Amino acid sequence: METRVGFIGLGIMGKPMARNLLKAGYPLSVYSRRRESVEALLKDGATGAASPQEIAETAEVVISIVTDTPDVRQVILGPDGVLAGLRPGTVVIDMSTISPTATREIAQAVEAKGGDLLDAPVSGGEGGAIAGTLSIMVGGKQEVFTRCLPLFEAMGANITHMGPSGTGQLTKLCNQIAVAVTNLAMGEALVFGAKAGLNLEKMQQAISGGAAGSWQLSNLAPRVLERDFAPGFMVRLQQKDLRLVLQEAEHLHLALPATSLVHTLFHALETLGAGDEGTQALVKVLERLAGVEVRG
Amino acid sequence: METRVGFIGLGIMGKPMARNLLKAGYPLSVYSRRRESVEALLKDGATGAASPQEIAETAEVVISIVTDTPDVRQVILGPDGVLAGLRPGTVVIDMSTISPTATREIAQAVEAKGGDLLDAPVSGGEGGAIAGTLSIMVGGKQEVFTRCLPLFEAMGANITHMGPSGTGQLTKLCNQIAVAVTNLAMGEALVFGAKAGLNLEKMQQAISGGAAGSWQLSNLAPRVLERDFAPGFMVRLQQKDLRLVLQEAEHLHLALPATSLVHTLFHALETLGAGDEGTQALVKVLERLAGVEVRG
């Protein structure tokens, strides 16, 4: 437990993940643009740092979890970034969801300075981050993964080494494809049921246990029926991830008709001003098309 | 257990369902166009009948499970049909998946002769039919449903009275929307992963436990990875159900963009000659678009 860990990014996901590392006994230095989050972590026993560079100057493992590809580039490659302070042998674990192509580029830059990068995006939302039950999909060298496994185990439950650099990100994108399209499956079943005049609570219960069943239907449909659109996962972050999926699909010359459709429908939802709502708000677009409200 | 039951339709679903009624001790008379199926049931203790009319002349409850709306019309309303032999007080339970509108018409015809009709389509496939764990979604009078509950319990596990006549069928259509679009969610995740060069078994395991999880992903993706396209549920029957969904959506003036998309992609799959394969073969269409094969 003597590994000194630096942690960059204390957002909805990062804060509870950093807390779980502290609880597991790791000495932790933290950096975030959010002053309140840093202060909360200092109370929990972390030490503060003035920049990602300062984090890297003392840590053996640097973890980052920020929003998007440009944020990771800035935090790792930018002025006062991790690379500026990186010492040979340091492992950088990027747990953000970003472009797999950019990930491989950043990994090369880290390796050029004698370090190693793992891409290790997560799934499971704020709830999973707090409970320490995140799914973690890891790309990078097997040996480095094995060395870092105890850290992952402090934050997650379902931890998979997927292969070389970038494969963690690619797996996360598969995850987001399935999440987004299954959400649409739920939405269409709900508006059909609403328009047909069904008791939607009974309908949801009748179909959830069988071949129609999904995490989305079991967990998000009840929220829709209560008109609860608070974010478990925000529409605008889902859109960022779908943008990554479709960019990668374009590189691969790959047709993803349903994923493209969901992305487009989420655009319409953002136009309705629902970008900060939870992804279950997708049903609102279908409601507009149907002239009906889905309600329990 | 003295209720005399007549059973019409001994296909993939009907045969094991009829067997479960026999096992539960119900005296059973059976009718099917499939001679072999009838003979198998006779060995199990059922009695045979020459027509649906003859079934109705002796049974207190008549169960039908045939393929499509015209089949139900013929079996119930046609010459030598159930209605020709129906005695007042008889309950007809149609467990086929058919048009909700036609269901309400047939219910009226049955009521005009002093009987009652329940629409009670099922979900759970051949496996659920054999195990007696089907989901059964029932429309019709509450009192009639309650009277027939022991029969349903002999065939299924998750039994829901949804409301008046037709609501069982409408709920089944919600089920088929979710099934079909979630299947496409799985397919797009798989072709993306394949095209990106991921280890697809690891990918499926890494994402199945979280927000991307679904019955389809857990049960059908492993079959795809083994290139096993044997039918749990046949493409052409899924297409029949999606046709019912989209006809009903047209009546309701309801846009179902993803369901329409899946229906179209299944058309392409039928063109490839895969109509008798299982629904997991949907991935083959995506493979054609991607120029890649999904394999474990």
PDB file of all heavy atoms in Angstrom, chain A residues 158 161 175 188 195 202 206 211-213 215-216 252 254 256-259 290, chain B residues 158 161 175 188 195 202 206-207 211-213 215-216 252 254 256-259 290:
ATOM      1  N   ASN A 158     -15.480  -5.241 -11.641  1.00  0.00           N
ATOM      2  CA  ASN A 158     -15.381  -6.049 -12.856  1.00  0.00           C
ATOM      3  C   ASN A 158     -14.261  -5.445 -13.697  1.00  0.00           C
ATOM      4  O   ASN A 158     -14.481  -4.496 -14.447  1.00  0.00           O
ATOM      5  CB  ASN A 158     -16.727  -6.011 -13.582  1.00  0.00           C
ATOM      6  CG  ASN A 158     -16.742  -6.859 -14.848  1.00  0.00           C
ATOM      7  OD1 ASN A 158     -15.873  -7.714 -15.054  1.00  0.00           O
ATOM      8  ND2 ASN A 158     -17.719  -6.608 -15.704  1.00  0.00           N
ATOM      9  N   HIS A 161      -8.530  -6.750 -18.429  1.00  0.00           N
ATOM     10  CA  HIS A 161      -7.453  -6.317 -19.320  1.00  0.00           C
ATOM     11  C   HIS A 161      -7.819  -6.735 -20.732  1.00  0.00           C
ATOM     12  O   HIS A 161      -7.936  -7.919 -21.046  1.00  0.00           O
ATOM     13  CB  HIS A 161      -6.112  -6.934 -18.920  1.00  0.00           C
ATOM     14  CG  HIS A 161      -4.998  -6.464 -19.809  1.00  0.00           C
ATOM     15  ND1 HIS A 161      -4.248  -7.321 -20.583  1.00  0.00           N
ATOM     16  CD2 HIS A 161      -4.540  -5.220 -20.076  1.00  0.00           C
ATOM     17  CE1 HIS A 161      -3.359  -6.615 -21.275  1.00  0.00           C
ATOM     18  NE2 HIS A 161      -3.520  -5.339 -20.984  1.00  0.00           N
ATOM     19  N   ASN A 175     -19.467  -0.457 -25.151  1.00  0.00           N
ATOM     20  CA  ASN A 175     -20.397  -0.299 -24.034  1.00  0.00           C
ATOM     21  C   ASN A 175     -21.393   0.826 -24.312  1.00  0.00           C
ATOM     22  O   ASN A 175     -22.601   0.672 -24.137  1.00  0.00           O
ATOM     23  CB  ASN A 175     -19.588   0.026 -22.771  1.00  0.00           C
ATOM     24  CG  ASN A 175     -20.417   0.048 -21.502  1.00  0.00           C
ATOM     25  OD1 ASN A 175     -20.726  -0.997 -20.937  1.00  0.00           O
ATOM     26  ND2 ASN A 175     -20.787   1.241 -21.050  1.00  0.00           N
ATOM     27  N   GLU A 188     -38.884   3.435 -27.088  1.00  0.00           N
ATOM     28  CA  GLU A 188     -39.927   3.106 -28.068  1.00  0.00           C
ATOM     29  C   GLU A 188     -40.985   2.183 -27.469  1.00  0.00           C
ATOM     30  O   GLU A 188     -42.183   2.325 -27.766  1.00  0.00           O
ATOM     31  CB  GLU A 188     -39.301   2.517 -29.346  1.00  0.00           C
ATOM     32  CG  GLU A 188     -38.477   3.561 -30.087  1.00  0.00           C
ATOM     33  CD  GLU A 188     -38.263   3.266 -31.576  1.00  0.00           C
ATOM     34  OE1 GLU A 188     -38.750   2.244 -32.091  1.00  0.00           O
ATOM     35  OE2 GLU A 188     -37.593   4.092 -32.226  1.00  0.00           O
ATOM     36  N   LYS A 195     -49.114   5.326 -25.861  1.00  0.00           N
ATOM     37  CA  LYS A 195     -50.048   5.682 -26.934  1.00  0.00           C
ATOM     38  C   LYS A 195     -51.180   4.650 -27.027  1.00  0.00           C
ATOM     39  O   LYS A 195     -52.312   4.985 -27.376  1.00  0.00           O
ATOM     40  CB  LYS A 195     -49.272   5.758 -28.252  1.00  0.00           C
ATOM     41  CG  LYS A 195     -50.020   6.410 -29.381  1.00  0.00           C
ATOM     42  CD  LYS A 195     -49.785   7.905 -29.488  1.00  0.00           C
ATOM     43  CE  LYS A 195     -50.588   8.485 -30.634  1.00  0.00           C
ATOM     44  NZ  LYS A 195     -50.303   9.885 -30.896  1.00  0.00           N
ATOM     45  N   LYS A 202     -47.309  -1.872 -15.039  1.00  0.00           N
ATOM     46  CA  LYS A 202     -47.546  -3.309 -15.264  1.00  0.00           C
ATOM     47  C   LYS A 202     -46.789  -3.792 -16.489  1.00  0.00           C
ATOM     48  O   LYS A 202     -46.231  -4.886 -16.497  1.00  0.00           O
ATOM     49  CB  LYS A 202     -49.038  -3.566 -15.473  1.00  0.00           C
ATOM     50  CG  LYS A 202     -49.847  -3.600 -14.196  1.00  0.00           C
ATOM     51  CD  LYS A 202     -51.246  -4.120 -14.502  1.00  0.00           C
ATOM     52  CE  LYS A 202     -52.124  -4.089 -13.257  1.00  0.00           C
ATOM     53  NZ  LYS A 202     -53.502  -4.529 -13.573  1.00  0.00           N
ATOM     54  N   ALA A 206     -44.104  -6.672 -16.620  1.00  0.00           N
ATOM     55  CA  ALA A 206     -44.417  -7.890 -17.384  1.00  0.00           C
ATOM     56  C   ALA A 206     -43.306  -8.267 -18.350  1.00  0.00           C
ATOM     57  O   ALA A 206     -43.074  -9.448 -18.605  1.00  0.00           O
ATOM     58  CB  ALA A 206     -45.732  -7.717 -18.143  1.00  0.00           C
ATOM     59  N   ALA A 211     -36.810 -11.838 -22.482  1.00  0.00           N
ATOM     60  CA  ALA A 211     -35.886 -11.522 -23.578  1.00  0.00           C
ATOM     61  C   ALA A 211     -35.831 -10.032 -23.892  1.00  0.00           C
ATOM     62  O   ALA A 211     -34.910  -9.561 -24.551  1.00  0.00           O
ATOM     63  CB  ALA A 211     -36.286 -12.302 -24.835  1.00  0.00           C
ATOM     64  N   ALA A 212     -36.812  -9.261 -23.407  1.00  0.00           N
ATOM     65  CA  ALA A 212     -36.819  -7.813 -23.604  1.00  0.00           C
ATOM     66  C   ALA A 212     -36.021  -7.098 -22.516  1.00  0.00           C
ATOM     67  O   ALA A 212     -35.809  -5.888 -22.581  1.00  0.00           O
ATOM     68  CB  ALA A 212     -38.257  -7.293 -23.599  1.00  0.00           C
ATOM     69  N   GLY A 213     -35.595  -7.842 -21.511  1.00  0.00           N
ATOM     70  CA  GLY A 213     -34.995  -7.252 -20.313  1.00  0.00           C
ATOM     71  C   GLY A 213     -33.641  -6.604 -20.562  1.00  0.00           C
ATOM     72  O   GLY A 213     -32.882  -7.027 -21.411  1.00  0.00           O
ATOM     73  N   TRP A 215     -30.673  -3.634 -18.368  1.00  0.00           N
ATOM     74  CA  TRP A 215     -30.383  -2.722 -17.265  1.00  0.00           C
ATOM     75  C   TRP A 215     -31.173  -1.437 -17.454  1.00  0.00           C
ATOM     76  O   TRP A 215     -31.743  -0.903 -16.502  1.00  0.00           O
ATOM     77  CB  TRP A 215     -28.882  -2.442 -17.226  1.00  0.00           C
ATOM     78  CG  TRP A 215     -28.434  -1.640 -16.035  1.00  0.00           C
ATOM     79  CD1 TRP A 215     -27.902  -2.136 -14.868  1.00  0.00           C
ATOM     80  CD2 TRP A 215     -28.465  -0.206 -15.885  1.00  0.00           C
ATOM     81  NE1 TRP A 215     -27.624  -1.090 -14.016  1.00  0.00           N
ATOM     82  CE2 TRP A 215     -27.947   0.102 -14.611  1.00  0.00           C
ATOM     83  CE3 TRP A 215     -28.882   0.842 -16.706  1.00  0.00           C
ATOM     84  CZ2 TRP A 215     -27.828   1.407 -14.130  1.00  0.00           C
ATOM     85  CZ3 TRP A 215     -28.775   2.144 -16.238  1.00  0.00           C
ATOM     86  CH2 TRP A 215     -28.257   2.424 -14.965  1.00  0.00           C
ATOM     87  N   GLN A 216     -31.208  -0.948 -18.689  1.00  0.00           N
ATOM     88  CA  GLN A 216     -31.912   0.301 -18.985  1.00  0.00           C
ATOM     89  C   GLN A 216     -33.394   0.180 -18.606  1.00  0.00           C
ATOM     90  O   GLN A 216     -33.948   1.055 -17.944  1.00  0.00           O
ATOM     91  CB  GLN A 216     -31.788   0.645 -20.474  1.00  0.00           C
ATOM     92  CG  GLN A 216     -30.357   0.809 -20.970  1.00  0.00           C
ATOM     93  CD  GLN A 216     -29.731   2.146 -20.597  1.00  0.00           C
ATOM     94  OE1 GLN A 216     -30.342   3.189 -20.756  1.00  0.00           O
ATOM     95  NE2 GLN A 216     -28.516   2.112 -20.084  1.00  0.00           N
ATOM     96  N   LEU A 252     -13.078   3.597 -39.303  1.00  0.00           N
ATOM     97  CA  LEU A 252     -13.159   2.169 -39.624  1.00  0.00           C
ATOM     98  C   LEU A 252     -14.050   1.898 -40.844  1.00  0.00           C
ATOM     99  O   LEU A 252     -14.204   0.750 -41.248  1.00  0.00           O
ATOM    100  CB  LEU A 252     -13.704   1.391 -38.416  1.00  0.00           C
ATOM    101  CG  LEU A 252     -12.871   1.401 -37.128  1.00  0.00           C
ATOM    102  CD1 LEU A 252     -13.685   0.840 -35.955  1.00  0.00           C
ATOM    103  CD2 LEU A 252     -11.588   0.576 -37.309  1.00  0.00           C
ATOM    104  N   LEU A 254     -17.333   2.093 -40.945  1.00  0.00           N
ATOM    105  CA  LEU A 254     -18.300   1.179 -40.337  1.00  0.00           C
ATOM    106  C   LEU A 254     -19.665   1.850 -40.215  1.00  0.00           C
ATOM    107  O   LEU A 254     -19.779   2.938 -39.654  1.00  0.00           O
ATOM    108  CB  LEU A 254     -17.795   0.776 -38.937  1.00  0.00           C
ATOM    109  CG  LEU A 254     -18.704  -0.089 -38.096  1.00  0.00           C
ATOM    110  CD1 LEU A 254     -18.942  -1.437 -38.776  1.00  0.00           C
ATOM    111  CD2 LEU A 254     -18.122  -0.297 -36.705  1.00  0.00           C
ATOM    112  N   LEU A 256     -23.145   2.230 -38.514  1.00  0.00           N
ATOM    113  CA  LEU A 256     -23.834   1.952 -37.252  1.00  0.00           C
ATOM    114  C   LEU A 256     -25.182   2.677 -37.288  1.00  0.00           C
ATOM    115  O   LEU A 256     -25.361   3.726 -36.664  1.00  0.00           O
ATOM    116  CB  LEU A 256     -23.005   2.440 -36.061  1.00  0.00           C
ATOM    117  CG  LEU A 256     -21.657   1.767 -35.825  1.00  0.00           C
ATOM    118  CD1 LEU A 256     -20.917   2.441 -34.678  1.00  0.00           C
ATOM    119  CD2 LEU A 256     -21.840   0.279 -35.519  1.00  0.00           C
ATOM    120  N   PRO A 257     -26.144   2.117 -38.026  1.00  0.00           N
ATOM    121  CA  PRO A 257     -27.387   2.875 -38.254  1.00  0.00           C
ATOM    122  C   PRO A 257     -28.133   3.241 -36.975  1.00  0.00           C
ATOM    123  O   PRO A 257     -28.613   4.377 -36.859  1.00  0.00           O
ATOM    124  CB  PRO A 257     -28.208   1.951 -39.167  1.00  0.00           C
ATOM    125  CG  PRO A 257     -27.532   0.623 -39.160  1.00  0.00           C
ATOM    126  CD  PRO A 257     -26.113   0.856 -38.798  1.00  0.00           C
ATOM    127  N   ALA A 258     -28.245   2.335 -36.028  1.00  0.00           N
ATOM    128  CA  ALA A 258     -29.034   2.637 -34.820  1.00  0.00           C
ATOM    129  C   ALA A 258     -28.294   3.623 -33.923  1.00  0.00           C
ATOM    130  O   ALA A 258     -28.895   4.534 -33.350  1.00  0.00           O
ATOM    131  CB  ALA A 258     -29.352   1.353 -34.056  1.00  0.00           C
ATOM    132  N   THR A 259     -26.974   3.469 -33.814  1.00  0.00           N
ATOM    133  CA  THR A 259     -26.193   4.389 -32.991  1.00  0.00           C
ATOM    134  C   THR A 259     -26.274   5.804 -33.570  1.00  0.00           C
ATOM    135  O   THR A 259     -26.430   6.782 -32.827  1.00  0.00           O
ATOM    136  CB  THR A 259     -24.726   3.928 -32.918  1.00  0.00           C
ATOM    137  OG1 THR A 259     -24.710   2.566 -32.465  1.00  0.00           O
ATOM    138  CG2 THR A 259     -23.918   4.783 -31.957  1.00  0.00           C
ATOM    139  N   ALA A 290     -44.737  11.549 -30.848  1.00  0.00           N
ATOM    140  CA  ALA A 290     -45.953  10.746 -30.672  1.00  0.00           C
ATOM    141  C   ALA A 290     -47.134  11.568 -30.179  1.00  0.00           C
ATOM    142  O   ALA A 290     -48.285  11.140 -30.284  1.00  0.00           O
ATOM    143  CB  ALA A 290     -45.679   9.618 -29.684  1.00  0.00           C
TER     144      ALA A 290
ATOM    145  N   ASN B 158     -44.300 -15.663 -14.808  1.00  0.00           N
ATOM    146  CA  ASN B 158     -44.526 -14.232 -14.630  1.00  0.00           C
ATOM    147  C   ASN B 158     -45.820 -13.884 -15.365  1.00  0.00           C
ATOM    148  O   ASN B 158     -45.817 -13.644 -16.566  1.00  0.00           O
ATOM    149  CB  ASN B 158     -43.327 -13.472 -15.210  1.00  0.00           C
ATOM    150  CG  ASN B 158     -43.444 -11.974 -15.042  1.00  0.00           C
ATOM    151  OD1 ASN B 158     -44.256 -11.474 -14.254  1.00  0.00           O
ATOM    152  ND2 ASN B 158     -42.665 -11.234 -15.808  1.00  0.00           N
ATOM    153  N   HIS B 161     -52.116  -9.708 -15.423  1.00  0.00           N
ATOM    154  CA  HIS B 161     -53.359  -9.243 -16.036  1.00  0.00           C
ATOM    155  C   HIS B 161     -53.190  -7.765 -16.361  1.00  0.00           C
ATOM    156  O   HIS B 161     -53.036  -6.932 -15.483  1.00  0.00           O
ATOM    157  CB  HIS B 161     -54.559  -9.444 -15.108  1.00  0.00           C
ATOM    158  CG  HIS B 161     -55.840  -8.985 -15.732  1.00  0.00           C
ATOM    159  ND1 HIS B 161     -56.628  -7.998 -15.205  1.00  0.00           N
ATOM    160  CD2 HIS B 161     -56.435  -9.379 -16.888  1.00  0.00           C
ATOM    161  CE1 HIS B 161     -57.675  -7.797 -16.005  1.00  0.00           C
ATOM    162  NE2 HIS B 161     -57.585  -8.631 -17.015  1.00  0.00           N
ATOM    163  N   ASN B 175     -43.075  -5.668 -25.741  1.00  0.00           N
ATOM    164  CA  ASN B 175     -41.996  -6.634 -25.516  1.00  0.00           C
ATOM    165  C   ASN B 175     -41.172  -6.830 -26.792  1.00  0.00           C
ATOM    166  O   ASN B 175     -39.929  -6.785 -26.759  1.00  0.00           O
ATOM    167  CB  ASN B 175     -42.622  -7.968 -25.095  1.00  0.00           C
ATOM    168  CG  ASN B 175     -41.602  -9.018 -24.685  1.00  0.00           C
ATOM    169  OD1 ASN B 175     -41.093  -9.012 -23.570  1.00  0.00           O
ATOM    170  ND2 ASN B 175     -41.298  -9.932 -25.602  1.00  0.00           N
ATOM    171  N   GLU B 188     -24.685  -3.942 -33.102  1.00  0.00           N
ATOM    172  CA  GLU B 188     -23.790  -2.823 -33.432  1.00  0.00           C
ATOM    173  C   GLU B 188     -22.566  -2.814 -32.502  1.00  0.00           C
ATOM    174  O   GLU B 188     -21.455  -2.510 -32.946  1.00  0.00           O
ATOM    175  CB  GLU B 188     -24.543  -1.489 -33.378  1.00  0.00           C
ATOM    176  CG  GLU B 188     -25.575  -1.394 -34.510  1.00  0.00           C
ATOM    177  CD  GLU B 188     -26.005   0.020 -34.882  1.00  0.00           C
ATOM    178  OE1 GLU B 188     -25.519   0.998 -34.267  1.00  0.00           O
ATOM    179  OE2 GLU B 188     -26.839   0.147 -35.795  1.00  0.00           O
ATOM    180  N   LYS B 195     -14.628  -4.915 -35.844  1.00  0.00           N
ATOM    181  CA  LYS B 195     -13.906  -4.053 -36.788  1.00  0.00           C
ATOM    182  C   LYS B 195     -12.712  -3.382 -36.101  1.00  0.00           C
ATOM    183  O   LYS B 195     -11.682  -3.124 -36.735  1.00  0.00           O
ATOM    184  CB  LYS B 195     -14.873  -3.002 -37.336  1.00  0.00           C
ATOM    185  CG  LYS B 195     -14.377  -2.256 -38.538  1.00  0.00           C
ATOM    186  CD  LYS B 195     -14.797  -2.868 -39.852  1.00  0.00           C
ATOM    187  CE  LYS B 195     -14.226  -2.069 -41.019  1.00  0.00           C
ATOM    188  NZ  LYS B 195     -14.699  -2.529 -42.310  1.00  0.00           N
ATOM    189  N   LYS B 202     -13.984 -11.220 -24.343  1.00  0.00           N
ATOM    190  CA  LYS B 202     -13.640 -10.328 -23.223  1.00  0.00           C
ATOM    191  C   LYS B 202     -14.538  -9.097 -23.229  1.00  0.00           C
ATOM    192  O   LYS B 202     -14.975  -8.629 -22.181  1.00  0.00           O
ATOM    193  CB  LYS B 202     -12.183  -9.880 -23.327  1.00  0.00           C
ATOM    194  CG  LYS B 202     -11.181 -10.919 -22.861  1.00  0.00           C
ATOM    195  CD  LYS B 202      -9.793 -10.267 -22.765  1.00  0.00           C
ATOM    196  CE  LYS B 202      -8.741 -11.288 -22.371  1.00  0.00           C
ATOM    197  NZ  LYS B 202      -7.396 -10.678 -22.353  1.00  0.00           N
ATOM    198  N   ALA B 206     -16.909  -7.886 -20.323  1.00  0.00           N
ATOM    199  CA  ALA B 206     -16.595  -6.619 -19.657  1.00  0.00           C
ATOM    200  C   ALA B 206     -17.810  -5.696 -19.585  1.00  0.00           C
ATOM    201  O   ALA B 206     -17.966  -4.938 -18.632  1.00  0.00           O
ATOM    202  CB  ALA B 206     -15.442  -5.917 -20.376  1.00  0.00           C
ATOM    203  N   ILE B 207     -18.690  -5.758 -20.596  1.00  0.00           N
ATOM    204  CA  ILE B 207     -19.797  -4.787 -20.630  1.00  0.00           C
ATOM    205  C   ILE B 207     -21.147  -5.358 -20.180  1.00  0.00           C
ATOM    206  O   ILE B 207     -22.067  -4.596 -19.905  1.00  0.00           O
ATOM    207  CB  ILE B 207     -19.949  -4.111 -22.015  1.00  0.00           C
ATOM    208  CG1 ILE B 207     -20.597  -5.035 -23.055  1.00  0.00           C
ATOM    209  CG2 ILE B 207     -18.592  -3.625 -22.544  1.00  0.00           C
ATOM    210  CD1 ILE B 207     -20.952  -4.323 -24.357  1.00  0.00           C
ATOM    211  N   ALA B 211     -24.522  -1.015 -17.273  1.00  0.00           N
ATOM    212  CA  ALA B 211     -25.637  -0.292 -17.906  1.00  0.00           C
ATOM    213  C   ALA B 211     -25.875  -0.727 -19.349  1.00  0.00           C
ATOM    214  O   ALA B 211     -26.928  -0.445 -19.912  1.00  0.00           O
ATOM    215  CB  ALA B 211     -25.366   1.209 -17.850  1.00  0.00           C
ATOM    216  N   ALA B 212     -24.911  -1.406 -19.956  1.00  0.00           N
ATOM    217  CA  ALA B 212     -25.069  -1.919 -21.322  1.00  0.00           C
ATOM    218  C   ALA B 212     -25.746  -3.279 -21.328  1.00  0.00           C
ATOM    219  O   ALA B 212     -26.093  -3.795 -22.383  1.00  0.00           O
ATOM    220  CB  ALA B 212     -23.701  -2.034 -21.994  1.00  0.00           C
ATOM    221  N   GLY B 213     -25.932  -3.850 -20.159  1.00  0.00           N
ATOM    222  CA  GLY B 213     -26.392  -5.229 -20.040  1.00  0.00           C
ATOM    223  C   GLY B 213     -27.820  -5.450 -20.505  1.00  0.00           C
ATOM    224  O   GLY B 213     -28.671  -4.578 -20.381  1.00  0.00           O
ATOM    225  N   TRP B 215     -30.667  -9.046 -21.649  1.00  0.00           N
ATOM    226  CA  TRP B 215     -30.870 -10.470 -21.904  1.00  0.00           C
ATOM    227  C   TRP B 215     -30.254 -10.843 -23.253  1.00  0.00           C
ATOM    228  O   TRP B 215     -29.606 -11.876 -23.390  1.00  0.00           O
ATOM    229  CB  TRP B 215     -32.374 -10.793 -21.897  1.00  0.00           C
ATOM    230  CG  TRP B 215     -32.702 -12.249 -21.989  1.00  0.00           C
ATOM    231  CD1 TRP B 215     -32.981 -13.100 -20.962  1.00  0.00           C
ATOM    232  CD2 TRP B 215     -32.784 -13.042 -23.196  1.00  0.00           C
ATOM    233  NE1 TRP B 215     -33.237 -14.357 -21.441  1.00  0.00           N
ATOM    234  CE2 TRP B 215     -33.126 -14.359 -22.803  1.00  0.00           C
ATOM    235  CE3 TRP B 215     -32.616 -12.766 -24.550  1.00  0.00           C
ATOM    236  CZ2 TRP B 215     -33.298 -15.390 -23.725  1.00  0.00           C
ATOM    237  CZ3 TRP B 215     -32.767 -13.800 -25.478  1.00  0.00           C
ATOM    238  CH2 TRP B 215     -33.102 -15.094 -25.052  1.00  0.00           C
ATOM    239  N   GLN B 216     -30.462  -9.981 -24.244  1.00  0.00           N
ATOM    240  CA  GLN B 216     -29.938 -10.247 -25.583  1.00  0.00           C
ATOM    241  C   GLN B 216     -28.417 -10.378 -25.557  1.00  0.00           C
ATOM    242  O   GLN B 216     -27.854 -11.315 -26.123  1.00  0.00           O
ATOM    243  CB  GLN B 216     -30.332  -9.103 -26.543  1.00  0.00           C
ATOM    244  CG  GLN B 216     -31.835  -8.875 -26.672  1.00  0.00           C
ATOM    245  CD  GLN B 216     -32.534  -9.885 -27.570  1.00  0.00           C
ATOM    246  OE1 GLN B 216     -32.057 -10.190 -28.655  1.00  0.00           O
ATOM    247  NE2 GLN B 216     -33.653 -10.416 -27.127  1.00  0.00           N
ATOM    248  N   LEU B 252     -52.002   4.215 -34.664  1.00  0.00           N
ATOM    249  CA  LEU B 252     -51.836   5.181 -33.564  1.00  0.00           C
ATOM    250  C   LEU B 252     -51.123   6.459 -34.017  1.00  0.00           C
ATOM    251  O   LEU B 252     -50.935   7.367 -33.213  1.00  0.00           O
ATOM    252  CB  LEU B 252     -51.027   4.531 -32.423  1.00  0.00           C
ATOM    253  CG  LEU B 252     -51.646   3.326 -31.709  1.00  0.00           C
ATOM    254  CD1 LEU B 252     -50.599   2.651 -30.813  1.00  0.00           C
ATOM    255  CD2 LEU B 252     -52.844   3.745 -30.864  1.00  0.00           C
ATOM    256  N   LEU B 254     -47.949   6.774 -34.763  1.00  0.00           N
ATOM    257  CA  LEU B 254     -46.815   6.767 -33.834  1.00  0.00           C
ATOM    258  C   LEU B 254     -45.518   6.477 -34.587  1.00  0.00           C
ATOM    259  O   LEU B 254     -45.421   5.489 -35.310  1.00  0.00           O
ATOM    260  CB  LEU B 254     -47.047   5.684 -32.762  1.00  0.00           C
ATOM    261  CG  LEU B 254     -45.914   5.432 -31.778  1.00  0.00           C
ATOM    262  CD1 LEU B 254     -45.649   6.677 -30.940  1.00  0.00           C
ATOM    263  CD2 LEU B 254     -46.262   4.259 -30.873  1.00  0.00           C
ATOM    264  N   LEU B 256     -41.860   5.150 -34.707  1.00  0.00           N
ATOM    265  CA  LEU B 256     -40.951   4.237 -34.001  1.00  0.00           C
ATOM    266  C   LEU B 256     -39.701   4.065 -34.863  1.00  0.00           C
ATOM    267  O   LEU B 256     -39.540   3.046 -35.548  1.00  0.00           O
ATOM    268  CB  LEU B 256     -41.624   2.885 -33.766  1.00  0.00           C
ATOM    269  CG  LEU B 256     -42.853   2.862 -32.852  1.00  0.00           C
ATOM    270  CD1 LEU B 256     -43.443   1.459 -32.801  1.00  0.00           C
ATOM    271  CD2 LEU B 256     -42.480   3.323 -31.440  1.00  0.00           C
ATOM    272  N   PRO B 257     -38.808   5.057 -34.867  1.00  0.00           N
ATOM    273  CA  PRO B 257     -37.701   5.020 -35.835  1.00  0.00           C
ATOM    274  C   PRO B 257     -36.790   3.802 -35.698  1.00  0.00           C
ATOM    275  O   PRO B 257     -36.412   3.208 -36.712  1.00  0.00           O
ATOM    276  CB  PRO B 257     -36.942   6.328 -35.563  1.00  0.00           C
ATOM    277  CG  PRO B 257     -37.482   6.891 -34.287  1.00  0.00           C
ATOM    278  CD  PRO B 257     -38.844   6.304 -34.093  1.00  0.00           C
ATOM    279  N   ALA B 258     -36.456   3.403 -34.479  1.00  0.00           N
ATOM    280  CA  ALA B 258     -35.528   2.270 -34.330  1.00  0.00           C
ATOM    281  C   ALA B 258     -36.204   0.955 -34.677  1.00  0.00           C
ATOM    282  O   ALA B 258     -35.611   0.083 -35.313  1.00  0.00           O
ATOM    283  CB  ALA B 258     -34.962   2.230 -32.910  1.00  0.00           C
ATOM    284  N   THR B 259     -37.464   0.804 -34.274  1.00  0.00           N
ATOM    285  CA  THR B 259     -38.188  -0.428 -34.592  1.00  0.00           C
ATOM    286  C   THR B 259     -38.337  -0.567 -36.111  1.00  0.00           C
ATOM    287  O   THR B 259     -38.167  -1.660 -36.666  1.00  0.00           O
ATOM    288  CB  THR B 259     -39.570  -0.416 -33.924  1.00  0.00           C
ATOM    289  OG1 THR B 259     -39.393  -0.166 -32.518  1.00  0.00           O
ATOM    290  CG2 THR B 259     -40.294  -1.728 -34.106  1.00  0.00           C
ATOM    291  N   ALA B 290     -20.299  -3.879 -42.869  1.00  0.00           N
ATOM    292  CA  ALA B 290     -18.997  -3.545 -42.284  1.00  0.00           C
ATOM    293  C   ALA B 290     -17.839  -4.257 -42.967  1.00  0.00           C
ATOM    294  O   ALA B 290     -16.685  -3.841 -42.825  1.00  0.00           O
ATOM    295  CB  ALA B 290     -18.996  -3.909 -40.797  1.00  0.00           C
TER     296      ALA B 290
END
